[in-house]
Short mmCIF file of all heavy atoms in Angstrom, two decimals:
data_model
loop_
_atom_site.label_atom_id
_atom_site.label_comp_id
_atom_site.label_asym_id
_atom_site.label_seq_id
_atom_site.Cartn_x
_atom_site.Cartn_y
_atom_site.Cartn_z
N LEU A 1 78.24 -263.81 146.53
CA LEU A 1 78.82 -262.92 145.52
C LEU A 1 78.52 -261.49 145.92
O LEU A 1 77.36 -261.09 146.03
CB LEU A 1 78.23 -263.22 144.14
CG LEU A 1 78.59 -262.25 143.01
CD1 LEU A 1 80.09 -262.25 142.75
CD2 LEU A 1 77.82 -262.61 141.73
N TYR A 2 79.58 -260.71 146.14
CA TYR A 2 79.44 -259.29 146.43
C TYR A 2 79.57 -258.51 145.12
O TYR A 2 80.60 -258.61 144.43
CB TYR A 2 80.52 -258.83 147.40
CG TYR A 2 80.37 -259.33 148.81
CD1 TYR A 2 81.07 -260.46 149.24
CD2 TYR A 2 79.55 -258.68 149.73
CE1 TYR A 2 80.95 -260.92 150.55
CE2 TYR A 2 79.42 -259.13 151.03
CZ TYR A 2 80.13 -260.25 151.44
OH TYR A 2 80.01 -260.71 152.73
N LEU A 3 78.56 -257.72 144.79
CA LEU A 3 78.61 -256.80 143.66
C LEU A 3 78.94 -255.42 144.24
O LEU A 3 78.07 -254.75 144.81
CB LEU A 3 77.28 -256.79 142.92
CG LEU A 3 76.80 -258.15 142.40
CD1 LEU A 3 75.41 -258.03 141.76
CD2 LEU A 3 77.80 -258.74 141.39
N VAL A 4 80.21 -255.01 144.09
CA VAL A 4 80.71 -253.88 144.87
C VAL A 4 80.62 -252.57 144.06
O VAL A 4 81.58 -251.81 143.94
CB VAL A 4 82.15 -254.16 145.35
CG1 VAL A 4 82.56 -253.16 146.44
CG2 VAL A 4 82.28 -255.57 145.93
N GLY A 5 79.46 -252.32 143.47
CA GLY A 5 79.17 -251.03 142.88
C GLY A 5 79.47 -250.89 141.40
O GLY A 5 80.30 -251.60 140.83
N ASP A 6 78.76 -249.94 140.77
CA ASP A 6 78.89 -249.63 139.35
C ASP A 6 78.66 -250.87 138.49
O ASP A 6 79.38 -251.11 137.50
CB ASP A 6 80.24 -249.00 139.05
CG ASP A 6 80.36 -247.58 139.59
OD1 ASP A 6 79.40 -247.11 140.23
OD2 ASP A 6 81.41 -246.95 139.38
N ILE A 7 77.66 -251.65 138.85
CA ILE A 7 77.34 -252.84 138.07
C ILE A 7 76.58 -252.45 136.82
O ILE A 7 76.97 -252.80 135.70
CB ILE A 7 76.54 -253.84 138.92
CG1 ILE A 7 77.32 -254.20 140.20
CG2 ILE A 7 76.23 -255.11 138.11
CD1 ILE A 7 78.70 -254.75 139.97
N VAL A 8 75.48 -251.72 136.98
CA VAL A 8 74.75 -251.14 135.85
C VAL A 8 75.10 -249.65 135.83
O VAL A 8 74.94 -248.96 136.83
CB VAL A 8 73.24 -251.33 136.00
CG1 VAL A 8 72.51 -250.70 134.82
CG2 VAL A 8 72.90 -252.81 136.10
N ASP A 9 75.57 -249.18 134.69
CA ASP A 9 76.03 -247.79 134.61
C ASP A 9 74.85 -246.88 134.30
O ASP A 9 74.65 -246.44 133.16
CB ASP A 9 77.12 -247.64 133.55
CG ASP A 9 77.93 -246.37 133.73
OD1 ASP A 9 77.35 -245.38 134.22
OD2 ASP A 9 79.13 -246.37 133.41
N LEU A 10 74.06 -246.57 135.33
CA LEU A 10 72.89 -245.71 135.16
C LEU A 10 73.31 -244.29 134.77
O LEU A 10 72.58 -243.60 134.05
CB LEU A 10 72.07 -245.70 136.45
CG LEU A 10 71.53 -247.06 136.89
CD1 LEU A 10 70.80 -246.93 138.23
CD2 LEU A 10 70.60 -247.66 135.84
N TRP A 11 74.49 -243.85 135.26
CA TRP A 11 74.96 -242.51 134.89
C TRP A 11 75.23 -242.44 133.38
O TRP A 11 74.81 -241.49 132.72
CB TRP A 11 76.24 -242.20 135.67
CG TRP A 11 76.81 -240.85 135.33
CD1 TRP A 11 76.50 -239.66 135.90
CD2 TRP A 11 77.78 -240.56 134.30
NE1 TRP A 11 77.21 -238.64 135.31
CE2 TRP A 11 78.00 -239.16 134.33
CE3 TRP A 11 78.47 -241.34 133.38
CZ2 TRP A 11 78.89 -238.54 133.46
CZ3 TRP A 11 79.37 -240.72 132.51
CH2 TRP A 11 79.57 -239.34 132.55
N TRP A 12 75.93 -243.43 132.85
CA TRP A 12 76.22 -243.43 131.41
C TRP A 12 74.92 -243.47 130.61
O TRP A 12 74.77 -242.74 129.62
CB TRP A 12 77.08 -244.63 131.05
CG TRP A 12 77.39 -244.76 129.59
CD1 TRP A 12 76.58 -245.27 128.62
CD2 TRP A 12 78.58 -244.35 128.92
NE1 TRP A 12 77.18 -245.20 127.39
CE2 TRP A 12 78.41 -244.64 127.55
CE3 TRP A 12 79.77 -243.78 129.34
CZ2 TRP A 12 79.40 -244.36 126.61
CZ3 TRP A 12 80.76 -243.52 128.40
CH2 TRP A 12 80.56 -243.81 127.04
N MET A 13 73.99 -244.30 131.02
CA MET A 13 72.74 -244.47 130.29
C MET A 13 71.90 -243.20 130.31
O MET A 13 71.14 -242.93 129.38
CB MET A 13 71.96 -245.65 130.87
CG MET A 13 72.69 -246.98 130.69
SD MET A 13 71.99 -248.35 131.62
CE MET A 13 70.52 -248.68 130.66
N ALA A 14 72.04 -242.39 131.37
CA ALA A 14 71.30 -241.13 131.45
C ALA A 14 71.99 -240.02 130.65
O ALA A 14 71.32 -239.15 130.09
CB ALA A 14 71.16 -240.70 132.91
N GLN A 15 73.32 -240.05 130.58
CA GLN A 15 74.09 -238.98 129.95
C GLN A 15 74.39 -239.23 128.48
O GLN A 15 74.53 -238.30 127.69
CB GLN A 15 75.41 -238.78 130.70
CG GLN A 15 75.26 -238.38 132.15
CD GLN A 15 74.69 -236.99 132.32
OE1 GLN A 15 74.98 -236.09 131.53
NE2 GLN A 15 73.86 -236.82 133.34
N ARG A 16 74.51 -240.49 128.11
CA ARG A 16 74.90 -240.86 126.76
C ARG A 16 74.00 -241.97 126.25
O ARG A 16 73.14 -242.47 126.96
CB ARG A 16 76.37 -241.35 126.75
CG ARG A 16 77.39 -240.29 127.14
CD ARG A 16 78.76 -240.91 127.23
NE ARG A 16 79.83 -239.92 127.36
CZ ARG A 16 80.23 -239.39 128.50
NH1 ARG A 16 79.64 -239.77 129.63
NH2 ARG A 16 81.20 -238.50 128.53
N ARG A 17 74.23 -242.37 125.02
CA ARG A 17 73.43 -243.43 124.42
C ARG A 17 73.78 -244.78 125.05
O ARG A 17 74.94 -245.17 125.08
CB ARG A 17 73.69 -243.49 122.91
CG ARG A 17 72.83 -244.52 122.19
CD ARG A 17 73.13 -244.50 120.71
NE ARG A 17 72.36 -245.53 120.01
CZ ARG A 17 72.46 -245.77 118.71
NH1 ARG A 17 73.30 -245.05 117.97
NH2 ARG A 17 71.73 -246.72 118.14
N ALA A 18 72.77 -245.46 125.56
CA ALA A 18 73.01 -246.75 126.20
C ALA A 18 73.45 -247.78 125.17
O ALA A 18 72.99 -247.79 124.03
CB ALA A 18 71.75 -247.23 126.90
N ARG A 19 74.36 -248.65 125.59
CA ARG A 19 74.81 -249.76 124.76
C ARG A 19 74.44 -251.06 125.48
O ARG A 19 75.01 -251.37 126.52
CB ARG A 19 76.34 -249.70 124.55
CG ARG A 19 76.83 -248.40 123.93
CD ARG A 19 76.38 -248.25 122.48
NE ARG A 19 76.88 -247.03 121.91
CZ ARG A 19 78.03 -246.93 121.25
NH1 ARG A 19 78.81 -248.00 121.13
NH2 ARG A 19 78.42 -245.77 120.75
N TRP A 20 73.47 -251.76 124.94
CA TRP A 20 73.00 -252.99 125.60
C TRP A 20 72.89 -254.09 124.54
O TRP A 20 72.03 -254.05 123.69
CB TRP A 20 71.66 -252.77 126.29
CG TRP A 20 71.38 -253.82 127.31
CD1 TRP A 20 70.84 -255.05 127.08
CD2 TRP A 20 71.64 -253.75 128.71
NE1 TRP A 20 70.75 -255.76 128.26
CE2 TRP A 20 71.23 -254.98 129.28
CE3 TRP A 20 72.18 -252.77 129.55
CZ2 TRP A 20 71.35 -255.25 130.63
CZ3 TRP A 20 72.28 -253.03 130.90
CH2 TRP A 20 71.88 -254.26 131.43
N SER A 21 73.78 -255.06 124.63
CA SER A 21 73.84 -256.12 123.63
C SER A 21 73.39 -257.44 124.22
O SER A 21 73.04 -257.54 125.41
CB SER A 21 75.28 -256.25 123.12
OG SER A 21 76.12 -256.72 124.17
N ALA A 22 73.44 -258.48 123.40
CA ALA A 22 73.10 -259.83 123.89
C ALA A 22 74.05 -260.26 124.99
O ALA A 22 73.65 -260.99 125.91
CB ALA A 22 73.15 -260.82 122.72
N ALA A 23 75.31 -259.81 124.93
CA ALA A 23 76.27 -260.16 125.98
C ALA A 23 75.88 -259.56 127.32
O ALA A 23 76.05 -260.19 128.36
CB ALA A 23 77.67 -259.69 125.58
N HIS A 24 75.33 -258.34 127.30
CA HIS A 24 74.85 -257.73 128.54
C HIS A 24 73.71 -258.56 129.12
O HIS A 24 73.64 -258.76 130.35
CB HIS A 24 74.38 -256.29 128.28
CG HIS A 24 75.48 -255.33 127.97
ND1 HIS A 24 76.20 -255.38 126.80
CD2 HIS A 24 75.98 -254.29 128.67
CE1 HIS A 24 77.10 -254.41 126.80
NE2 HIS A 24 76.98 -253.73 127.93
N ASN A 25 72.82 -259.04 128.27
CA ASN A 25 71.73 -259.91 128.74
C ASN A 25 72.28 -261.19 129.35
O ASN A 25 71.75 -261.68 130.35
CB ASN A 25 70.79 -260.25 127.58
CG ASN A 25 69.90 -259.09 127.18
OD1 ASN A 25 69.59 -258.23 128.01
ND2 ASN A 25 69.49 -259.05 125.93
N ARG A 26 73.35 -261.73 128.76
CA ARG A 26 73.93 -262.97 129.29
C ARG A 26 74.50 -262.76 130.69
O ARG A 26 74.46 -263.66 131.53
CB ARG A 26 75.00 -263.51 128.35
CG ARG A 26 74.45 -264.04 127.03
CD ARG A 26 75.43 -264.99 126.35
NE ARG A 26 76.71 -264.37 126.06
CZ ARG A 26 76.95 -263.68 124.95
NH1 ARG A 26 76.01 -263.51 124.03
NH2 ARG A 26 78.16 -263.16 124.73
N VAL A 27 75.04 -261.57 130.95
CA VAL A 27 75.54 -261.27 132.30
C VAL A 27 74.40 -261.31 133.30
O VAL A 27 74.51 -261.93 134.37
CB VAL A 27 76.24 -259.89 132.33
CG1 VAL A 27 76.55 -259.47 133.77
CG2 VAL A 27 77.52 -259.92 131.51
N VAL A 28 73.29 -260.65 132.98
CA VAL A 28 72.14 -260.64 133.87
C VAL A 28 71.60 -262.05 134.07
O VAL A 28 71.29 -262.47 135.20
CB VAL A 28 71.04 -259.71 133.32
CG1 VAL A 28 69.79 -259.77 134.20
CG2 VAL A 28 71.56 -258.27 133.24
N GLU A 29 71.53 -262.82 133.00
CA GLU A 29 71.04 -264.20 133.10
C GLU A 29 71.97 -265.05 133.96
O GLU A 29 71.52 -265.90 134.73
CB GLU A 29 70.92 -264.80 131.70
CG GLU A 29 69.79 -264.17 130.87
CD GLU A 29 69.92 -264.48 129.39
OE1 GLU A 29 70.89 -265.19 129.01
OE2 GLU A 29 69.08 -264.00 128.60
N ALA A 30 73.29 -264.83 133.84
CA ALA A 30 74.25 -265.60 134.63
C ALA A 30 74.11 -265.27 136.11
O ALA A 30 74.23 -266.16 136.97
CB ALA A 30 75.67 -265.30 134.16
N LEU A 31 73.84 -264.01 136.44
CA LEU A 31 73.63 -263.64 137.84
C LEU A 31 72.37 -264.29 138.40
O LEU A 31 72.36 -264.79 139.53
CB LEU A 31 73.55 -262.11 137.97
CG LEU A 31 74.85 -261.35 137.73
CD1 LEU A 31 74.59 -259.84 137.69
CD2 LEU A 31 75.88 -261.68 138.80
N HIS A 32 71.30 -264.32 137.59
CA HIS A 32 70.07 -265.00 138.02
C HIS A 32 70.32 -266.49 138.21
O HIS A 32 69.82 -267.10 139.17
CB HIS A 32 68.96 -264.78 136.99
CG HIS A 32 68.29 -263.45 137.08
ND1 HIS A 32 67.72 -262.98 138.25
CD2 HIS A 32 68.09 -262.47 136.16
CE1 HIS A 32 67.20 -261.78 138.04
NE2 HIS A 32 67.43 -261.45 136.79
N ALA A 33 71.12 -267.09 137.33
CA ALA A 33 71.42 -268.52 137.43
C ALA A 33 72.19 -268.81 138.72
O ALA A 33 71.93 -269.82 139.38
CB ALA A 33 72.20 -268.97 136.21
N LEU A 34 73.12 -267.95 139.08
CA LEU A 34 73.87 -268.14 140.32
C LEU A 34 72.93 -268.07 141.53
O LEU A 34 73.03 -268.88 142.45
CB LEU A 34 74.96 -267.07 140.45
CG LEU A 34 76.21 -267.28 139.60
CD1 LEU A 34 77.08 -266.02 139.62
CD2 LEU A 34 77.03 -268.47 140.11
N ARG A 35 72.03 -267.10 141.52
CA ARG A 35 71.10 -266.97 142.63
C ARG A 35 70.19 -268.19 142.75
O ARG A 35 69.96 -268.70 143.85
CB ARG A 35 70.25 -265.69 142.46
CG ARG A 35 69.37 -265.36 143.64
CD ARG A 35 68.65 -264.04 143.43
NE ARG A 35 67.83 -264.08 142.22
CZ ARG A 35 66.59 -264.57 142.19
NH1 ARG A 35 66.04 -265.07 143.28
NH2 ARG A 35 65.91 -264.55 141.08
N ARG A 36 69.71 -268.68 141.59
CA ARG A 36 68.86 -269.89 141.62
C ARG A 36 69.64 -271.11 142.11
O ARG A 36 69.06 -272.01 142.73
CB ARG A 36 68.29 -270.15 140.22
CG ARG A 36 67.23 -269.15 139.79
CD ARG A 36 66.47 -269.66 138.57
NE ARG A 36 67.37 -269.87 137.43
CZ ARG A 36 67.63 -268.94 136.51
NH1 ARG A 36 67.08 -267.73 136.61
NH2 ARG A 36 68.44 -269.20 135.49
N ALA A 37 70.96 -271.13 141.84
CA ALA A 37 71.79 -272.26 142.26
C ALA A 37 72.17 -272.20 143.73
O ALA A 37 72.81 -273.12 144.24
CB ALA A 37 73.05 -272.33 141.40
N GLY A 38 71.79 -271.11 144.42
CA GLY A 38 72.03 -271.03 145.85
C GLY A 38 73.03 -269.97 146.28
O GLY A 38 73.27 -269.82 147.48
N THR A 39 73.61 -269.23 145.34
CA THR A 39 74.54 -268.17 145.70
C THR A 39 73.79 -266.98 146.28
O THR A 39 72.82 -266.51 145.68
CB THR A 39 75.34 -267.70 144.47
OG1 THR A 39 76.15 -268.78 143.99
CG2 THR A 39 76.24 -266.53 144.80
N GLU A 40 74.23 -266.51 147.43
CA GLU A 40 73.68 -265.28 147.99
C GLU A 40 74.36 -264.10 147.33
O GLU A 40 75.58 -264.05 147.22
CB GLU A 40 73.90 -265.22 149.50
CG GLU A 40 73.36 -263.94 150.12
CD GLU A 40 73.74 -263.78 151.58
OE1 GLU A 40 74.56 -264.59 152.08
OE2 GLU A 40 73.25 -262.82 152.20
N ILE A 41 73.58 -263.12 146.86
CA ILE A 41 74.12 -261.94 146.19
C ILE A 41 73.92 -260.73 147.09
O ILE A 41 72.81 -260.48 147.59
CB ILE A 41 73.45 -261.72 144.83
CG1 ILE A 41 73.77 -262.89 143.90
CG2 ILE A 41 73.91 -260.40 144.21
CD1 ILE A 41 73.11 -262.80 142.53
N VAL A 42 75.01 -260.00 147.32
CA VAL A 42 74.96 -258.77 148.11
C VAL A 42 75.38 -257.62 147.19
O VAL A 42 76.49 -257.61 146.65
CB VAL A 42 75.89 -258.84 149.33
CG1 VAL A 42 75.76 -257.56 150.16
CG2 VAL A 42 75.58 -260.06 150.18
N TYR A 43 74.48 -256.66 147.01
CA TYR A 43 74.72 -255.53 146.11
C TYR A 43 75.07 -254.30 146.94
O TYR A 43 74.29 -253.85 147.77
CB TYR A 43 73.46 -255.28 145.28
CG TYR A 43 73.65 -254.48 144.01
CD1 TYR A 43 72.90 -254.77 142.88
CD2 TYR A 43 74.54 -253.41 143.92
CE1 TYR A 43 73.04 -254.04 141.69
CE2 TYR A 43 74.71 -252.69 142.77
CZ TYR A 43 73.95 -253.00 141.66
OH TYR A 43 74.10 -252.27 140.50
N VAL A 44 76.26 -253.75 146.70
CA VAL A 44 76.72 -252.52 147.36
C VAL A 44 76.82 -251.45 146.26
O VAL A 44 77.83 -251.38 145.56
CB VAL A 44 78.08 -252.73 148.05
CG1 VAL A 44 78.53 -251.45 148.76
CG2 VAL A 44 78.01 -253.90 149.04
N PRO A 45 75.80 -250.62 146.06
CA PRO A 45 75.81 -249.69 144.92
C PRO A 45 76.95 -248.69 144.99
O PRO A 45 77.42 -248.31 146.08
CB PRO A 45 74.45 -248.97 145.05
CG PRO A 45 73.61 -249.89 145.89
CD PRO A 45 74.56 -250.53 146.84
N GLY A 46 77.41 -248.26 143.80
CA GLY A 46 78.47 -247.27 143.70
C GLY A 46 77.95 -245.94 143.21
O GLY A 46 76.75 -245.64 143.30
#
């Protein structure tokens, strides 16, 4: 799985009020689950 940038919006979080809900946590958990299942993750920051 290639994460091709702007995955976590650090710019928005620094400039404006961060919005982080249970759904955002589920995204992070799903990425961890993929890695544990054997998916290689390549992060290309934006």
